[in-house]
Amino acid sequence: MQSRLSRRAFMAAAGAGAIYGCGNGSDQRSATSGHFEPNWESIRTHQVPQWYDDAKLGIFVHWGLYSVPAWATPTGELGEIDFTHWFANNPYAEWYLNSLRIDGSPTQEHHRKTYGEDFDYMDFAPQFNEALRAWDPGAMAGLFADAGARYVVLTTKHHDGFTLWPSEIENPNLPEGRRSTDRDVVGELTAAIKAAQMRMGFYYSGGLDWSFNPEPIDTLEKVWGTIIHTQQFADYADAHWRELIAKYDPTILWNDIGYPEQADLAQIVADFYNTHPDGLINNRFEIGKEGAPQRHHDFTTPEYAEMDEITDYKWETCRGLGYSFGYNRVETAEHTIGEAELIHLLADIVSKNGNLLLNAGPMPDGTIPELQASRLRTLGSWLRKNGDAIYGTRPWNRATGETGDGIPVRFTSKGDAVYAIVLGQPTSNTITLELGTDSMDVSVTVLGESQAPTAAIADGTLTVTLAEPLPEGHAHALRLERG
């Protein structure tokens, strides 16, 4: 009998590196050297750059041919649905092609009724390219900056094999006009993101490519079993990564679901680090075979997951605003994370040494659906007021607590300051927190507010007396400093 997969269990399955014993990285490395050789021993001396540890919030962008049908069954969040049910009822709209190939799936039924049984998935390419004519990369970058993001990761090629840049590397399995966008989406968005003072990263599906291996994935085992380990595909994926790095100068290489064992990856990563001292890579470049030798990563990437405690390594959770990463026209507010829940999620992740890579799924013309855009704007508004408790912080000696009236609290720190982020609305003008510290004088500032509360610590309990009630808000951040 198989039970529902818990969030904690799924964290072990979110990336191939996590499944196959890839270490957490930070506890295995020596000081960063000035030059990296093309071997994993040398590459593992690389350290996470400070900018990434300071950034805390990035925007993921899933955008491609799947954005045209934009259809998936909203069955629930990854990690909450049994995998025996998951693939045929996949809520990830970006997996449309795989869902279409599973006989009897809701996606297959929808596709045949809507487009006809003979309409090929790659025939969405002309519609996508036509819609892209209206895209405004500056407006997209502006929304992400307004959300408070410090970096963006774009899906340059998802599992369907279609690229968002006119690659010079020819896909031998896709027909002319069905291989890539006409506009250079990667180049144009990269330029807009950098102009908006954010860092740019590239997602690339280096393990799965359904144009090379069309076998439908209907079990969890087939995710790893259909990773392509051939010299042809290794050369193809390597050439793509080299082209993306040379043409567009990314800061993050964000691979997905394994990488061919025949690849020249150590050379690519060493060259990248040597030319990008602020660059880093995620943990999904692992080979994807049980018992395979460990490669390297700077941070781990659990999916729709959170940590219970502070970690001693850097991690980044990725998730959609709804159940899907790609735009899904079926999703409504019922399937979308709420404003308060989103803010609380970010505070929780940051308190435990993580970053949040929050996905936006554009429509074919690049418009971010209003339901998603409103969530991004709300998060950005909160960060403009309370961002000092998020950006540039590090975990305190503990992550969690609660006020005397039971409101959850998340702690962060920066220099000599400790931040207490109250995840809700205080019920009175007095806020008490168990800090466990000796009695001392302490000064407290409510971020974004002009009032000057009084505060004192006695017997390990902090008592903050507000001059007036706090305005209604999803969360409030207190800055604590020794008086």
Side-chain angles (χ1 to χ4, degrees):
M1 183 177 69
Q2 186 171 359
S3 62
R4 288 176 53 185
L5 185 72
S6 70
R7 286 181 179 273
R8 203 63 52 223
F10 179 73
M11 286 175 61
I19 281 186
Y20 295 114
C22 183
N24 64 40
S26 63
D27 58 348
Q28 300 179 18
R29 303 175 198 159
S30 60
T32 301
S33 64
H35 179 79
F36 298 92
E37 298 296 330
N39 62 75
W40 297 115
E41 183 179 3
S42 175
I43 289 168
R44 289 188 195 110
T45 65
H46 186 260
Q47 296 288 309
V48 176
Q50 181 176 327
W51 78 262
Y52 181 79
D53 217 1
D54 290 344
K56 308 306 182 187
L57 177 64
I59 298 294
F60 218 174
V61 184
H62 276 66
W63 193 20
L65 296 188
Y66 44 83
S67 306
V68 178
W71 198 95
T73 49
T75 49
E77 285 190 6
L78 184 65
E80 295 183 343
I81 308 300
D82 194 304
F83 275 121
T84 60
H85 181 72
W86 174 268
F87 291 99
N89 302 274
N90 198 332
Y92 283 5
E94 67 276 12
W95 277 61
Y96 187 94
L97 176 56
N98 185 75
S99 301
L100 174 61
R101 288 172 171 170
I102 298 175
D103 287 337
S105 71
T107 296
Q108 188 180 79
E109 181 181 358
H110 165 80
H111 184 86
R112 290 174 176 176
K113 286 182 178 179
T114 307
Y115 305 104
E117 190 166 346
D118 296 329
F119 188 92
D120 188 78
Y121 172 82
M122 302 311 296
D123 290 336
F124 286 123
Q127 298 178 52
F128 187 50
N129 276 315
E130 179 62 30
L132 279 174
R133 294 177 182 272
W135 172 50
D136 181 352
M140 181 178 284
L143 175 61
F144 298 160
D146 192 50
R150 295 294 188 258
Y151 60 101
V152 173
V153 177
L154 171 67
T155 52
T156 64
K157 176 181 80 74
H158 205 259
H159 309 324
D160 58 11
F162 187 84
T163 70
L164 296 193
W165 82 102
S167 176
E168 296 177 8
I169 315 303
E170 184 174 297
N171 186 321
N173 304 313
L174 293 178
E176 190 71 30
R178 304 293 192 269
R179 296 171 181 157
S180 70
T181 50
D182 294 337
R183 284 185 75 168
D184 187 354
V185 172
V186 174
E188 291 186 50
L189 184 58
T190 296
I193 292 300
K194 290 182 178 181
Q197 305 302 307
M198 291 177 284
R199 307 262 185 167
M200 191 65 182
F202 294 156
Y203 167 108
Y204 181 86
S205 179
L208 301 186
D209 190 315
W210 299 325
S211 66
F212 281 80
N213 185 354
E215 180 184 356
I217 297 171
D218 54 10
T219 67
L220 183 60
E221 291 72 24
K222 283 188 180 180
V223 175
W224 319 117
T226 54
I227 294 174
I228 306 164
H229 294 289
T230 67
Q231 191 62 56
Q232 180 196 34
F233 185 71
D235 292 344
Y236 179 75
D238 283 355
H240 269 168
W241 271 124
R242 289 190 172 102
E243 185 179 45
L244 287 166
I245 294 166
K247 289 185 69 172
Y248 306 116
D249 195 34
T251 305
I252 303 171
L253 308 186
W254 210 106
N255 190 70
D256 199 15
I257 310 190
Y259 205 72
E261 59 186 329
Q262 300 89 345
D264 191 22
L265 185 61
Q267 185 70 63
I268 292 171
V269 174
D271 289 345
F272 175 67
Y273 284 159
N274 288 331
T275 55
H276 296 75
D278 58 349
L280 67 168
I281 72 172
N282 74 335
N283 68 320
R284 301 193 186 191
F285 279 100
E286 295 304 313
I287 290 172
K289 288 185 175 181
E290 190 168 4
Q294 177 182 319
R295 287 174 168 174
H296 158 79
H297 63 267
D298 293 299
F299 60 100
T300 64
T301 49
E303 196 162 315
Y304 279 88
E306 302 154 48
M307 299 294 183
D308 291 327
E309 305 289 344
I310 297 170
T311 66
D312 60 359
Y313 58 91
K314 192 64 190 176
W315 59 286
E316 173 194 83
T317 198
C318 60
R319 60 155 295 144
L321 284 157
Y323 300 155
S324 176
F325 286 89
Y327 168 52
N328 183 5
R329 65 179 76 249
V330 179
E331 287 189 343
T332 66
E334 175 189 357
H335 314 112
T336 304
I337 189 170
E339 294 178 353
E341 184 183 358
L342 177 57
I343 291 167
H344 297 177
L345 176 69
L346 176 62
D348 180 74
I349 288 168
V350 171
S351 74
K352 296 169 183 173
N353 202 29
N355 285 13
L356 171 60
L357 186 60
L358 182 65
N359 185 80
M363 293 188 282
D365 66 356
T367 301
I368 306 299
E370 180 55 31
L371 184 57
Q372 296 183 36
S374 66
R375 294 294 188 269
L376 296 178
R377 288 191 293 265
T378 295
L379 182 60
S381 178
W382 186 85
L383 282 167
R384 281 188 288 278
K385 180 177 179 179
N386 298 282
D388 195 44
I390 299 293
Y391 301 122
T393 62
R394 299 294 183 268
W396 190 44
N397 59 27
R398 73 174 191 269
T400 65
E402 64 178 32
T403 65
D405 51 354
I407 302 174
V409 174
R410 296 296 180 267
F411 295 102
T412 62
S413 67
K414 185 188 301 178
D416 294 330
V418 173
Y419 298 89
I421 306 172
V422 181
L423 305 183
Q425 186 67 26
T427 57
S428 73
N429 285 14
T430 300
I431 301 172
T432 59
L433 288 169
E434 294 295 330
L435 298 182
T437 59
D438 295 334
S439 299
M440 63 179 183
D441 293 331
V442 63
S443 65
V444 176
T445 303
V446 182
L447 298 188
E449 301 296 330
S450 59
Q451 65 167 287
T454 60
I457 295 177
D459 299 325
T461 298
L462 169 70
T463 301
V464 179
T465 303
L466 303 169
E468 56 190 39
L470 292 175
E472 287 291 327
H474 298 307
H476 302 274
L478 310 178
R479 177 185 173 96
L480 317 178
E481 295 179 279
R482 188 181 293 272

